[in-house]
């Protein structure tokens, strides 16, 4: 089954606000369920160690599964949000067009 993870990253600091939606698609024989914690090499412990699955939508006709991960709002950043997004992209995540 094709599984697409959906991740919302948001950062609000004194001068700027940044928010992105990223996705990553994998092929897997099993699917996550709400409450599972997903780990990925793109995740950085200075931001987050893993994300909880909050919603799973399955389309059996197309054999795909959409997995929404818990939103992450950064208030205290040890690395900049744009650096974090670049790390995610280098590990297969794609920023979705606004």
């Amino acid at each position: 089954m094709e599984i697409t993870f959906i991740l919302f990253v948001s950062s609000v600091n004194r001068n700027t606000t940044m928010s992105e939606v990223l996705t990553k698609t994998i092929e897997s024989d099993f699917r996550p369920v709400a409450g599972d914690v997903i780990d990925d090499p793109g995740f950085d412990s200075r931001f987050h160690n893993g994300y909880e699955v909050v919603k799973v939508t399955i389309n059996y006709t197309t054999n795909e599964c959409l997995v929404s991960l818990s939103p992450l709002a950064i208030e205290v950043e040890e690395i900049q949000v744009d650096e974090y997004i670049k790390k995610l992209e280098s590990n297969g995540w794609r920023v979705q067009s606004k």
Side-chain angles (χ1 to χ4, degrees):
M1 177 174 283
E2 187 173 273
I3 298 177
T4 300
F5 295 101
I6 304 166
L7 175 64
F8 302 91
V9 177
S10 180
S11 174
V12 179
N13 59 37
R14 283 178 255 142
N15 301 322
T16 60
T17 299
M18 183 174 185
S19 169
E20 294 289 358
V21 176
L22 295 100
T23 62
K24 183 175 186 176
T25 302
I26 63 165
E27 189 68 32
S28 179
D29 292 333
F30 61 92
R31 67 172 182 86
V33 295
D36 283 354
V37 175
I38 304 299
D39 189 20
D40 185 89
F43 300 161
D44 191 303
S45 63
R46 294 173 290 171
F47 264 74
H48 215 275
N49 288 322
Y51 293 86
E52 185 176 346
V53 173
V54 293
K55 182 179 177 184
V56 177
T57 304
I58 301 169
N59 184 327
Y60 289 104
T61 303
T62 60
N63 199 35
E64 66 181 349
C65 176
L66 299 177
V67 178
S68 296
L69 302 177
S70 58
L72 176 62
I74 305 302
E75 294 176 3
V76 178
E77 300 173 7
E78 293 181 34
I79 63 173
Q80 297 295 313
V81 69
D82 54 342
E83 181 183 340
Y84 183 52
I85 290 171
K86 286 178 187 174
K87 181 174 180 180
L88 288 165
E89 289 178 311
S90 71
N91 283 278
W93 291 84
R94 295 182 315 274
V95 173
Q96 299 303 298
S97 300
K98 293 183 180 184

